[in-house]
Amino acid sequence: MENILEIRGLCKKYDDFALEDVSFSLPKGYIMGFVGQNGSGKTTTIRSILNMAKIDSGNISVFGLDSVTDSIAIKERLGVVFDSLYLAEHLNTKQIEQQLKPFYKDWDSTEFSARLRAFDLPDNKKVGAFSKGMKMKLMIAIALSHKAELIILDEPTSGLDPVARDELLDILSEYIEDENRGVLFSTHITADVERIADFVTILHDGKVWFTGERDTLAESYAVLKGAEEDIPAGLKEKLIGFHAYRNGFDALIHTDDLAGLPAALEYEKASIDEILVYIAKEDRYERHPESRAV
Amino acid sequence: MKDILKAVRFDYLTVAPFAWFGVVLSALLFGGLSLLLAPAMCAFLSIIAPFFVLPLQIVADQCGFNKLYGVLPVSRKSLVRGRFLYLFLVHLAVQLAELVIAGIAHAANLYRFLPNQESSMMKIVGDAFANRSFTLLAVFGVCVLVGICMAFVEMMTQIKGRESLLRIVFLAFSAILVTAFIIAKLVKKEILTLDLPRLPSDPAGMLLTGAAADLVLLAVCVICGEITAAAMEKREL
């Protein structure tokens, strides 16, 4: 599989936060869900891809081009949707098109008008007066009008109502029907990822916790529940986000470690949401027995 | 160069919807005064230029243009250089408009149709219409001075932030006043002698001097643009 996006050993240090050795790749024709808690480094990674943040070390390749030296050529073929609109809010869509059109060699005005109609976006209303869902659709319309081959979305669904979220996911599903395209979709709403993503990268505290196919992630982890005294010796150290309650415990477990478990312990498939919660719990509770007595 | 021109167009289209309102008002007021009372008053039309430049940073801050700058397939340097070329072109356009209005005012001499032609006030008005060199001096002088100030403000606010604008203007104004005061004292005490070049008295010579002043403004815009571009390129978006 040819990668449309490839990140190797990305490091970026700020005073209070650092991305450490972030590596993952997105093959052509697929959607990758890029998930993690707020502050886990998703936006910094995206800013690094866009060359908006200067990386300390590592290598980012988009369409096989270097993200620093070939930044302009990459952006010709890249569409970006942020969580908020980045356009002049006092202009209407026609005026926005006049502004952006000269910057893109492949801008297609007919496509832009068609997208506006398809997305029910008026061309005579100031874009600042658009709803959040309409603003998202406008940014996607812009990306599609210059024939973007990769769309990067940074928390696009946060603050969207369920109908608008559903519409956005449908648009992305339709977009990816062309196998030469790709979508990197950063979000903390994991239901969206479970619905449309083929690949998942989980970022935690500036590091990649998991990257791979969504189905592999789903098969790799389970939520284990039961009484603490039933945990076999040596297993507790392998549990992730172990949390003891008055009547038992729960924790995330790798499915490789399920073999030979006593029948008293129950487990069920973990959702991405649950995986994120247990990763966070690992930081808060594990190896701190006094905190467990909640 | 293409990218710089795209940035110029982008800046113009950003402010055009609200800048033209100020243009129409200023043109009616100062254009009218210039045609009727003193052609040199068209120099006040230079206040139009800030209408086209000052809102750019406000819009950029409010609408999150930093993200847009990161998304557009154009370098940050080209965007900054485009801003300063735009600033120069706006001043040049305003100056041309002023020259056209001044030319019409001097050709039409509309003050002749005003009442009380024999009054001392109307004699002053008549003198103003007779002195073409003074009109040209006012047009070029005010426009270039406003342009240089705008280039400085643009550079400092991009580098230091818009919230520092008042402090920057206050410091610059104070520095000019203190320098002027010191020079005046030194001249008065005959420690310093100022041998300023004499401005030409004929309109053709004034036009040439004005063109030279425009070149100075262009040079200031280029220098400020390069300093700003170098500073902004190092900054993360």
Side-chain angles (χ1 to χ4, degrees):
Chain A
M1 283 191 288
E2 192 185 340
N3 289 329
I4 198 163
L5 169 69
E6 202 168 323
I7 299 181
R8 290 279 161 263
L10 168 63
C11 295
K12 170 73 189 169
K13 199 169 182 182
Y14 290 106
D15 290 341
D16 52 350
F17 171 77
L19 280 181
E20 287 173 46
D21 195 24
V22 171
S23 300
F24 64 88
S25 55
L26 169 64
K28 269 187 181 175
Y30 293 99
I31 297 180
M32 174 177 277
F34 192 38
V35 295
Q37 281 178 276
N38 289 334
S40 59
K42 301 189 295 292
T43 299
T44 305
T45 306
I46 288 174
R47 288 175 67 244
S48 302
I49 297 169
L50 296 171
N51 199 27
M52 290 166 80
K54 296 185 191 307
I55 60 176
D56 297 332
S57 61
N59 175 270
I60 302 172
S61 156
V62 188
F63 315 118
L65 301 168
D66 183 81
S67 71
V68 178
T69 53
D70 303 315
S71 165
I72 292 172
I74 288 171
K75 286 172 188 176
E76 276 277 357
R77 299 160 65 186
L78 194 71
V80 185
V81 176
F82 285 110
D83 58 342
S84 59
L85 193 67
Y86 50 73
L87 303 165
E89 300 209 343
H90 60 284
L91 302 181
N92 59 38
T93 50
K94 271 187 182 170
Q95 291 166 322
I96 294 281
E97 189 198 4
Q98 290 308 309
Q99 268 194 322
L100 302 183
K101 195 176 162 179
F103 288 102
Y104 296 98
K105 286 184 198 125
D106 290 330
W107 185 275
D108 184 343
S109 293
T110 316
E111 175 73 17
F112 186 67
S113 303
R115 287 290 168 181
L116 293 185
R117 276 195 305 276
F119 295 163
D120 284 329
L121 298 175
D123 57 12
N124 54 358
K125 191 177 174 182
K126 289 179 180 176
V127 298
F130 280 10
S131 69
K132 183 150 189 193
M134 290 162 89
K135 288 175 180 173
M136 291 299 134
K137 286 195 266 187
L138 174 60
M139 287 188 273
I140 291 178
I142 290 168
L144 298 179
S145 301
H146 66 85
K147 299 178 175 55
E149 294 159 54
L150 171 65
I151 296 187
I152 295 178
L153 304 100
D154 188 13
E155 306 275 3
T157 50
S158 58
L160 284 188
D161 64 65
V163 178
R165 265 175 59 201
D166 184 66
E167 269 185 285
L168 181 69
L169 300 182
D170 282 346
I171 293 166
L172 293 178
S173 302
E174 187 193 323
Y175 170 80
I176 207 68
E177 280 171 14
D178 182 335
E179 290 180 355
N180 287 314
R181 293 170 169 175
V183 174
L184 179 69
F185 181 39
S186 147
T187 183
H188 54 253
I189 302 174
T190 53
D192 297 341
V193 175
E194 306 214 48
R195 187 176 140 189
I196 63 161
D198 308 291
F199 289 83
V200 177
T201 293
I202 298 177
L203 210 57
H204 177 66
D205 204 14
K207 300 180 196 86
V208 173
W209 193 86
F210 174 89
T211 185
E213 290 184 31
R214 186 194 61 189
D215 294 342
T216 309
L217 176 69
E219 287 160 13
S220 299
Y221 294 95
V223 176
L224 187 68
K225 290 176 182 173
E228 199 173 347
E229 54 272 22
D230 292 330
I231 301 173
L235 182 67
K236 202 169 176 181
E237 286 67 38
K238 293 178 183 172
L239 298 178
I240 302 159
F242 177 90
H243 192 194
Y245 301 92
R246 197 185 305 165
N247 300 322
F249 79 94
D250 60 36
L252 192 70
I253 185 168
H254 199 282
T255 46
D256 289 350
D257 299 323
L258 287 174
L261 276 184
L265 294 177
E266 294 172 359
Y267 62 87
E268 58 193 27
K269 205 170 144 183
S271 65
I272 299 176
D273 233 1
E274 286 170 322
I275 293 172
L276 287 182
V277 168
Y278 283 105
I279 297 170
K281 277 184 180 175
E282 175 77 4
D283 284 353
R284 272 184 281 153
Y285 299 122
E286 214 229 8
R287 326 297 172 223
H288 298 284
E290 69 280 10
S291 310
R292 286 191 224 148
V294 179
Chain B
M1 190 63 191
K2 258 188 181 178
D3 283 348
I4 295 174
L5 292 176
K6 285 176 195 170
V8 169
R9 182 187 146 94
F10 178 89
D11 280 343
Y12 169 70
L13 290 173
T14 301
V15 292
F18 42 76
W20 282 103
F21 178 70
V23 172
V24 172
L25 275 185
S26 311
L28 284 175
L29 177 64
F30 296 114
L33 288 173
S34 166
L35 288 169
L36 286 173
L37 295 177
M41 287 187 92
C42 68
F44 286 111
L45 276 171
S46 292
I47 63 161
I48 288 172
F51 281 115
F52 281 90
V53 180
L54 286 179
L56 281 168
Q57 279 201 39
I58 300 166
V59 172
D61 286 353
Q62 285 176 352
C63 300
F65 273 13
N66 264 358
K67 285 179 181 168
L68 180 62
Y69 297 153
V71 168
L72 287 175
V74 64
S75 71
R76 187 85 175 97
K77 268 192 167 179
S78 296
L79 288 167
V80 174
R81 286 170 177 157
R83 172 68 55 84
F84 282 87
L85 177 60
Y86 167 77
L87 192 149
F88 173 73
L89 291 176
V90 164
H91 281 87
L92 206 60
V94 170
Q95 195 182 79
L96 283 174
E98 289 175 4
L99 288 173
V100 169
I101 291 171
I104 295 170
H106 279 291
N109 286 326
L110 291 178
Y111 76 98
R112 289 174 298 159
F113 302 107
L114 293 174
N116 305 321
Q117 285 291 317
E118 297 308 313
S119 67
S120 54
M121 178 65 188
M122 288 314 292
K123 280 200 174 68
I124 297 170
V125 170
D127 289 345
F129 272 85
N131 194 344
R132 287 169 189 245
S133 294
F134 177 73
T135 303
L136 289 172
L137 174 69
V139 167
F140 287 115
V142 174
C143 200
V144 170
L145 200 66
V146 171
I148 290 172
C149 291
M150 291 299 297
F152 176 75
V153 167
E154 183 66 29
M155 177 180 73
M156 295 309 288
T157 48
Q158 281 212 31
I159 294 172
K160 298 278 180 194
R162 194 161 51 88
E163 59 282 0
S164 315
L165 178 63
L166 274 180
R167 195 158 44 96
I168 292 162
V169 169
F170 176 76
L171 284 174
F173 193 64
S174 307
I176 291 168
L177 276 183
V178 169
T179 311
F181 179 76
I182 292 169
I183 290 172
K185 279 279 177 200
L186 292 174
V187 170
K188 198 177 174 184
K189 289 186 176 176
E190 293 181 349
I191 300 169
L192 183 75
T193 50
L194 280 182
D195 194 13
L196 293 172
R198 190 166 291 173
L199 287 168
S201 53
D202 60 311
M206 249 342 278
L207 274 173
L208 274 177
T209 310
D214 284 342
L215 285 178
V216 171
L217 174 60
L218 177 62
V220 169
C221 286
V222 169
I223 292 166
C224 289
E226 288 306 309
I227 294 170
T228 313
M232 300 312 284
E233 202 192 21
K234 287 178 200 152
R235 198 173 293 176
E236 292 191 348
L237 287 166

Short mmCIF file of all heavy atoms in Angstrom, two decimals, chain B residues 3-24:
data_model
loop_
_atom_site.label_atom_id
_atom_site.label_comp_id
_atom_site.label_asym_id
_atom_site.label_seq_id
_atom_site.Cartn_x
_atom_site.Cartn_y
_atom_site.Cartn_z
N ASP B 3 3.19 35.26 -6.33
CA ASP B 3 2.61 35.00 -5.01
C ASP B 3 2.39 36.30 -4.25
O ASP B 3 1.40 36.45 -3.52
CB ASP B 3 3.52 34.07 -4.20
CG ASP B 3 3.39 32.63 -4.64
OD1 ASP B 3 2.44 32.33 -5.40
OD2 ASP B 3 4.23 31.80 -4.24
N ILE B 4 3.32 37.25 -4.43
CA ILE B 4 3.19 38.55 -3.74
C ILE B 4 1.96 39.28 -4.28
O ILE B 4 1.18 39.85 -3.52
CB ILE B 4 4.48 39.39 -3.91
CG1 ILE B 4 5.65 38.68 -3.21
CG2 ILE B 4 4.31 40.80 -3.36
CD1 ILE B 4 7.00 39.32 -3.41
N LEU B 5 1.77 39.22 -5.59
CA LEU B 5 0.60 39.89 -6.19
C LEU B 5 -0.71 39.22 -5.75
O LEU B 5 -1.72 39.89 -5.55
CB LEU B 5 0.72 39.90 -7.72
CG LEU B 5 1.85 40.78 -8.27
CD1 LEU B 5 1.96 40.66 -9.78
CD2 LEU B 5 1.65 42.25 -7.89
N LYS B 6 -0.65 37.89 -5.57
CA LYS B 6 -1.85 37.19 -5.07
C LYS B 6 -2.18 37.68 -3.66
O LYS B 6 -3.34 37.86 -3.29
CB LYS B 6 -1.59 35.67 -5.02
CG LYS B 6 -1.60 34.99 -6.37
CD LYS B 6 -1.24 33.53 -6.19
CE LYS B 6 -0.87 32.85 -7.49
NZ LYS B 6 -0.30 31.52 -7.28
N ALA B 7 -1.12 37.89 -2.86
CA ALA B 7 -1.32 38.37 -1.49
C ALA B 7 -1.88 39.80 -1.50
O ALA B 7 -2.73 40.14 -0.66
CB ALA B 7 0.00 38.32 -0.73
N VAL B 8 -1.43 40.62 -2.46
CA VAL B 8 -1.95 42.00 -2.58
C VAL B 8 -3.45 41.96 -2.86
O VAL B 8 -4.25 42.64 -2.21
CB VAL B 8 -1.22 42.76 -3.73
CG1 VAL B 8 -1.92 44.07 -4.05
CG2 VAL B 8 0.24 43.01 -3.36
N ARG B 9 -3.82 41.11 -3.80
CA ARG B 9 -5.23 40.97 -4.18
C ARG B 9 -6.05 40.45 -2.98
O ARG B 9 -7.15 40.92 -2.72
CB ARG B 9 -5.31 39.98 -5.35
CG ARG B 9 -6.69 39.74 -5.91
CD ARG B 9 -6.61 38.62 -6.94
NE ARG B 9 -7.82 37.83 -6.93
CZ ARG B 9 -8.85 38.03 -7.74
NH1 ARG B 9 -8.80 38.98 -8.63
NH2 ARG B 9 -9.92 37.28 -7.67
N PHE B 10 -5.47 39.49 -2.26
CA PHE B 10 -6.15 38.92 -1.09
C PHE B 10 -6.44 40.02 -0.06
O PHE B 10 -7.55 40.12 0.46
CB PHE B 10 -5.26 37.83 -0.48
CG PHE B 10 -5.83 37.21 0.77
CD1 PHE B 10 -6.67 36.11 0.68
CD2 PHE B 10 -5.54 37.71 2.02
CE1 PHE B 10 -7.22 35.54 1.82
CE2 PHE B 10 -6.08 37.15 3.16
CZ PHE B 10 -6.91 36.07 3.06
N ASP B 11 -5.43 40.86 0.21
CA ASP B 11 -5.60 41.93 1.20
C ASP B 11 -6.67 42.93 0.75
O ASP B 11 -7.51 43.35 1.53
CB ASP B 11 -4.26 42.65 1.43
CG ASP B 11 -3.35 41.87 2.37
OD1 ASP B 11 -3.85 40.97 3.07
OD2 ASP B 11 -2.14 42.14 2.40
N TYR B 12 -6.62 43.28 -0.53
CA TYR B 12 -7.60 44.24 -1.03
C TYR B 12 -9.02 43.68 -0.89
O TYR B 12 -9.92 44.37 -0.39
CB TYR B 12 -7.31 44.61 -2.50
CG TYR B 12 -8.45 45.39 -3.10
CD1 TYR B 12 -8.69 46.70 -2.70
CD2 TYR B 12 -9.32 44.80 -4.01
CE1 TYR B 12 -9.77 47.40 -3.21
CE2 TYR B 12 -10.40 45.50 -4.52
CZ TYR B 12 -10.62 46.81 -4.11
OH TYR B 12 -11.69 47.50 -4.60
N LEU B 13 -9.21 42.43 -1.30
CA LEU B 13 -10.55 41.84 -1.24
C LEU B 13 -11.03 41.68 0.20
O LEU B 13 -12.23 41.66 0.46
CB LEU B 13 -10.57 40.48 -1.96
CG LEU B 13 -10.42 40.55 -3.48
CD1 LEU B 13 -10.26 39.16 -4.08
CD2 LEU B 13 -11.61 41.27 -4.11
N THR B 14 -10.09 41.56 1.14
CA THR B 14 -10.48 41.42 2.55
C THR B 14 -11.11 42.71 3.07
O THR B 14 -12.11 42.67 3.80
CB THR B 14 -9.25 41.05 3.41
OG1 THR B 14 -8.71 39.83 2.93
CG2 THR B 14 -9.62 40.90 4.87
N VAL B 15 -10.54 43.85 2.72
CA VAL B 15 -11.04 45.11 3.28
C VAL B 15 -12.02 45.86 2.37
O VAL B 15 -12.75 46.73 2.85
CB VAL B 15 -9.89 46.08 3.66
CG1 VAL B 15 -9.10 45.56 4.80
CG2 VAL B 15 -9.03 46.40 2.48
N ALA B 16 -12.03 45.50 1.10
CA ALA B 16 -12.84 46.27 0.13
C ALA B 16 -14.30 46.47 0.56
O ALA B 16 -14.81 47.59 0.44
CB ALA B 16 -12.77 45.61 -1.24
N PRO B 17 -14.98 45.43 1.10
CA PRO B 17 -16.40 45.63 1.40
C PRO B 17 -16.69 46.77 2.38
O PRO B 17 -17.73 47.40 2.30
CB PRO B 17 -16.83 44.29 2.01
CG PRO B 17 -15.88 43.31 1.48
CD PRO B 17 -14.58 44.05 1.35
N PHE B 18 -15.78 47.05 3.32
CA PHE B 18 -16.10 48.16 4.22
C PHE B 18 -15.23 49.40 4.02
O PHE B 18 -15.54 50.45 4.53
CB PHE B 18 -16.12 47.75 5.70
CG PHE B 18 -15.02 46.83 6.14
CD1 PHE B 18 -13.74 47.30 6.35
CD2 PHE B 18 -15.30 45.50 6.38
CE1 PHE B 18 -12.74 46.45 6.78
CE2 PHE B 18 -14.31 44.64 6.80
CZ PHE B 18 -13.03 45.11 7.00
N ALA B 19 -14.15 49.29 3.27
CA ALA B 19 -13.26 50.45 3.11
C ALA B 19 -13.87 51.50 2.19
O ALA B 19 -13.66 52.70 2.38
CB ALA B 19 -11.91 50.00 2.56
N TRP B 20 -14.64 51.06 1.21
CA TRP B 20 -15.17 52.02 0.22
C TRP B 20 -16.13 53.02 0.81
O TRP B 20 -16.29 54.12 0.29
CB TRP B 20 -15.80 51.27 -0.96
CG TRP B 20 -14.75 50.77 -1.89
CD1 TRP B 20 -14.30 49.49 -2.00
CD2 TRP B 20 -13.96 51.54 -2.80
NE1 TRP B 20 -13.29 49.40 -2.92
CE2 TRP B 20 -13.05 50.65 -3.43
CE3 TRP B 20 -13.91 52.89 -3.13
CZ2 TRP B 20 -12.12 51.08 -4.37
CZ3 TRP B 20 -12.99 53.31 -4.09
CH2 TRP B 20 -12.11 52.42 -4.69
N PHE B 21 -16.78 52.67 1.92
CA PHE B 21 -17.69 53.60 2.59
C PHE B 21 -16.91 54.84 3.04
O PHE B 21 -17.33 55.98 2.81
CB PHE B 21 -18.36 52.91 3.79
CG PHE B 21 -19.28 53.80 4.57
CD1 PHE B 21 -20.49 54.20 4.03
CD2 PHE B 21 -18.93 54.24 5.84
CE1 PHE B 21 -21.34 55.03 4.75
CE2 PHE B 21 -19.78 55.07 6.56
CZ PHE B 21 -20.98 55.46 6.01
N GLY B 22 -15.75 54.61 3.67
CA GLY B 22 -14.89 55.71 4.11
C GLY B 22 -14.36 56.51 2.95
O GLY B 22 -14.23 57.74 3.02
N VAL B 23 -14.09 55.82 1.84
CA VAL B 23 -13.57 56.50 0.64
C VAL B 23 -14.60 57.50 0.11
O VAL B 23 -14.28 58.66 -0.16
CB VAL B 23 -13.24 55.47 -0.46
CG1 VAL B 23 -12.88 56.16 -1.77
CG2 VAL B 23 -12.10 54.58 -0.01
N VAL B 24 -15.85 57.04 0.01
CA VAL B 24 -16.91 57.90 -0.54
C VAL B 24 -17.09 59.12 0.36
O VAL B 24 -17.15 60.27 -0.12
CB VAL B 24 -18.23 57.09 -0.67
CG1 VAL B 24 -19.38 58.00 -1.05
CG2 VAL B 24 -18.05 55.99 -1.71
#
